[in-house]
């Protein structure tokens, strides 16, 4: 079967959640024997090694530069008058549209897959074939519309209403769509009443990539992973440094905190300075840093989808302490495979408990690894995704 896959993120290196998901989808489709043409945006030029790694999985790989959203650009300002989200208008790429048209003119495809809402307009150019809209995520925008001051709520509220209207019309033009959790599916049902072609394909990890020895856990070490350029992660780190970590440090003065992710171009002056807290910068391979940490902290307060950072930590045997929002959408159990704390005192108390109790740490590590193996490995998720793609491809467009 020939698959046309459209992605807003080039999947290599797999150093954020979006790239990791796309790469695993490509791997699963390739393992299922399908011939994949990948048309992808690139935020930065892909290296020869990155291109070679993806080309080993795909029959054809073509890229074009990503157009970042600029609110002050003419197209963005004109988009204020449109019923479509203006970010989609401003970032629309004629080059990507040409790639899609050219690929469809040169080759017959059995199914087109648009990874995220951003790629939906380009998938509509792939006429005469069934289409799958992969990973519809709405929760983040919905939350933004209810937060902030009056002006922020008005601005994000308008964006939410436009997006909801757009998604309601768009999903009807696809044979099916996927979401990562039951919460996202329920929100889609609110936006598009009567739409019943949404399947849950959760986020996951490639278990083989997390097997092996990545280092010995170091006592009294905490880690927070995730790019600070993402608003939800920045808010989580601010909350962690301002309200949680001081409580931990008071009980465990030897505690240290690694905050990973590139800080290039970011103003960190608004974040509190804390003893023992270190910004590592971008790490090409995050696995050793997680594996050598005693506990992974996920104090998220906003955001949608599910947290790949939790699954990565669990796969590496590193216990996780998270907020309910951080663990949202995952089938976790407090005390069995994770600890949940929704106030600074409870969160810090849970962290300190793990730092001082090796038996608790061992129990959480074993429970987390078992959960990931049973439910969130792509070895388990992949067959369901591939069955969905085959089913869609067998339908009349």
């Amino acid at each position: 079967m020939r698959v046309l896959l459209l992605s807003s993120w080039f999947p290599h290196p797999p150093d954020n959640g979006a790239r990791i998901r796309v790469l695993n989808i490509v791997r699963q489709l390739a393992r299922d024997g399908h011939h994949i043409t990948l048309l992808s945006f690139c935020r930065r030029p892909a290296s020869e090694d990155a291109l070679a790694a993806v080309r080993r999985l795909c029959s054809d790989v073509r890229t074009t530069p990503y157009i970042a959203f600029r609110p002050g650009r003419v197209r963005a300002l004109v988009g204020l008058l449109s019923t479509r989200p203006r970010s989609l208008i401003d970032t629309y790429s004629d080059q990507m549209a040409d790639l899609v048209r050219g690929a469809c003119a040169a080759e017959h495809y059995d199914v087109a897959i648009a990874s995220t809402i951003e790629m939906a307009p380009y998938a509509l150019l792939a006429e005469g074939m069934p289409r799958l809209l992969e990973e519809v995520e709405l929760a983040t925008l919905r939350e933004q519309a209810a937060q902030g001051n009056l002006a922020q709520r008005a601005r994000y509220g308008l964006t939410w209403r436009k997006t909801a209207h757009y998604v309601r019309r768009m999903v009807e033009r696809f044979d099916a769509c996927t979401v990562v959790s039951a919460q996202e599916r329920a929100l889609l049902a609110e936006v598009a009443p009567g739409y019943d072609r949404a399947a849950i394909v959760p986020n996951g990890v490639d278990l083989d990539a997390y097997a092996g020895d990545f280092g010995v856990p170091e006592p009294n070490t905490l880690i927070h992973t995730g790019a600070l350029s993402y608003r939800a992660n920045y808010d989580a780190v601010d909350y962690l440094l301002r309200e949680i970590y001081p409580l931990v440090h008071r009980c465990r003065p030897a505690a240290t905190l690694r905050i990973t992710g590139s800080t290039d171009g970011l103003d960190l002056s608004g974040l509190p300075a804390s003893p023992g807290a270190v910004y590592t910068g971008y790490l090409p391979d995050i696995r050793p840093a997680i594996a050598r940490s005693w506990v992974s902290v996920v104090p998220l307060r906003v955001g949608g989808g599910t947290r790949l950072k939790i699954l990565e930590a669990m796969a590496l045997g590193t216990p996780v302490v998270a907020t309910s929002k951080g663990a949202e959408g995952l089938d976790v159990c407090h005390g069995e495979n994770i600890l949940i704390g929704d106030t600074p005192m409870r969160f810090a108390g849970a962290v300190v408990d793990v730092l001082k109790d090796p038996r608790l740490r061992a129990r959480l590590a074993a429970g987390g690894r078992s959960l990931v193996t049973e439910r969130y490995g792509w070895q388990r998720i992949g067959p369901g995704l591939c069955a969905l793609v085959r089913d869609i491809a067998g339908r009349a467009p």
Side-chain angles (χ1 to χ4, degrees):
M1 190 167 72
R2 297 191 177 276
V3 178
L4 179 64
L5 176 59
L6 313 177
S7 176
S8 61
W9 289 88
F10 190 73
H12 212 281
D15 56 7
N16 70 20
R19 290 191 178 98
I20 290 171
R21 184 174 177 91
V22 174
L23 181 60
N24 278 298
I25 287 172
V26 170
R27 283 174 176 162
Q28 295 304 314
L29 293 174
R31 287 172 184 168
D32 206 39
H34 305 307
H35 299 276
I36 306 160
T37 293
L38 174 66
L39 307 183
S40 177
F41 284 118
C42 278
R43 263 69 172 177
R44 55 181 182 263
S47 69
E48 287 302 319
D49 287 345
L51 287 168
V54 178
R55 283 171 176 156
R56 284 193 288 269
L57 299 169
C58 299
S59 302
D60 192 11
V61 177
R62 307 178 204 177
T63 66
T64 191
Y66 179 73
I67 301 173
F69 178 48
R70 296 288 184 267
R73 197 156 42 203
V74 172
R75 285 202 303 185
L77 294 173
V78 172
L80 289 169
L81 304 176
S82 173
T83 59
R84 288 185 294 158
R86 67 184 185 125
S87 61
L88 294 182
I89 295 173
D90 183 57
T91 61
Y92 187 82
S93 168
D94 291 326
Q95 289 79 11
M96 176 58 75
D98 288 342
L99 284 181
V100 174
R101 293 190 187 99
C104 292
E107 186 74 71
H108 166 75
Y109 295 99
D110 298 288
V111 62
I113 302 175
S115 176
T116 73
I117 295 169
E118 195 169 7
M119 302 307 293
Y122 307 105
L124 298 184
L125 300 174
E127 299 177 350
M129 70 186 76
R131 306 184 189 100
L132 170 66
L133 180 54
E134 213 286 309
E135 197 186 6
V136 176
E137 184 183 320
L138 297 168
T140 300
L141 277 177
R142 175 72 168 268
E143 287 181 0
Q144 287 178 339
Q147 296 171 348
N149 56 39
L150 184 60
Q152 290 171 328
R153 291 200 302 273
R155 178 160 60 93
Y156 285 122
L158 177 61
T159 301
W160 165 248
R161 289 190 294 275
K162 284 187 174 185
T163 301
H165 175 71
Y166 178 79
V167 169
R168 181 165 54 249
R169 292 185 297 114
M170 186 60 70
V171 292
E172 294 295 345
R173 305 184 70 177
F174 284 78
D175 295 84
C177 71
T178 66
V179 293
V180 300
S181 68
Q183 289 87 340
E184 288 285 358
R185 185 164 65 178
L187 186 51
L188 177 60
E190 290 181 29
V191 167
Y195 183 78
D196 60 357
R197 302 193 299 275
I200 297 175
V201 177
N203 275 323
V205 294
D206 183 346
L207 296 173
D208 294 338
Y210 292 84
D213 183 7
F214 292 97
V216 178
E218 302 165 5
N220 291 312
T221 52
L222 287 67
I223 190 168
H224 178 279
T225 61
L228 294 183
S229 55
Y230 178 45
R231 173 180 169 269
N233 285 336
Y234 188 96
D235 176 80
V237 168
D238 182 73
Y239 176 49
L240 173 63
L241 293 176
R242 199 174 299 278
E243 301 189 46
I244 297 171
Y245 185 62
L247 300 177
V248 174
H249 206 264
R250 189 179 306 160
C251 296
R252 306 288 287 190
T256 61
L257 168 64
R258 300 184 185 103
I259 302 170
T260 73
S262 174
T263 58
D264 294 346
L266 292 176
D267 180 8
L268 303 180
S269 61
L271 295 175
S274 299
V278 176
Y279 296 93
T280 68
Y282 174 75
L283 300 177
D285 187 351
I286 194 69
R287 293 171 297 178
I290 298 173
R292 293 170 184 167
S293 298
W294 202 256
V295 59
S296 176
V297 291
V298 187
L300 285 163
R301 299 188 292 183
V302 294
T306 55
R307 319 303 170 195
L308 192 59
K309 64 183 73 181
I310 290 180
L311 302 179
E312 287 183 309
M314 288 179 170
L316 291 164
T318 301
V320 177
V321 177
T323 56
S324 295
K325 169 54 72 174
E328 188 176 66
L330 297 175
D331 189 19
V332 294
C333 179
H334 173 72
E336 180 179 320
N337 44 44
I338 197 171
L339 293 182
I340 302 294
D342 285 326
T343 67
M345 187 67 73
R346 289 184 180 277
F347 197 107
V351 171
V352 170
D353 286 345
V354 179
L355 292 179
K356 70 182 184 182
D357 188 345
R359 288 180 299 178
L360 172 62
R361 185 185 190 278
R363 186 176 80 243
L364 293 172
R369 190 182 287 111
S370 177
L371 174 68
V372 169
T373 301
E374 293 173 5
R375 297 183 63 89
Y376 295 107
W378 272 102
Q379 289 80 351
R380 296 276 184 140
I381 299 168
L385 170 68
C386 292
L388 175 64
V389 171
R390 289 194 301 271
D391 177 61
I392 293 170
R395 302 175 189 175

